[in-house]
Amino acid sequence: MISAFLIGIVAAIHLYIVYLEMFQWDKPAGRKVFGTTQEFASASKVLAANQGLYNGFLAAGLIFGLILGAQGGVFTVFFLCCVIVAGIFGAATVNRKILFVQAVPAAVALVAVLAGY
């Protein structure tokens, strides 16, 4: 199904975000992605790891829904909606790029789920 593939992409995006926020935040790769200075990254490392953990829960919920198959539809819809809300909030408060990295892929996946693809 197309929707399962799209949900998998959204989950993979969030697993990558987990990796960046929890393990690369104060490293050159993480600082480049998030546009932070070494000083800021060092001072906010624990906050970023906490944020990464929450992104991990979003990915876990999506993966759980996929594992459940047809029975997991309610999980995937719920967690896709959570990703969309988080993406919109992030775009409004941090960086507009978050809308395109998180919210748009989740919205596309949600439309596919609701359309039965």
Side-chain angles (χ1 to χ4, degrees):
M1 275 181 109
I2 294 172
S3 60
F5 175 75
L6 295 172
I7 293 165
I9 289 173
V10 174
I13 289 169
H14 280 78
L15 289 174
Y16 182 62
I17 293 169
V18 169
Y19 170 72
L20 289 172
E21 291 177 339
M22 294 189 81
F23 306 108
Q24 295 297 309
W25 183 257
D26 61 344
K27 310 276 188 303
R31 291 194 339 264
K32 181 179 179 184
V33 168
F34 295 106
T36 59
T37 64
Q38 181 63 52
E39 181 179 59
F40 177 82
S42 295
S44 59
K45 184 176 181 177
V46 174
L47 294 173
N50 185 46
Q51 188 169 292
L53 186 62
Y54 283 96
N55 278 295
F57 290 136
L58 292 173
L62 292 170
I63 293 166
F64 183 67
L66 286 174
I67 290 169
L68 290 177
Q71 303 296 328
V74 69
F75 287 99
T76 56
V77 168
F78 173 76
F79 281 98
L80 287 170
C81 288
C82 289
V83 170
I84 293 166
V85 170
I88 291 169
F89 184 78
T93 60
V94 179
N95 187 326
R96 192 179 326 197
K97 180 173 76 171
I98 296 171
L99 184 70
F100 302 103
V101 172
Q102 291 181 314
V104 169
V108 171
L110 181 62
V111 167
V113 168
L114 296 177
Y117 293 111

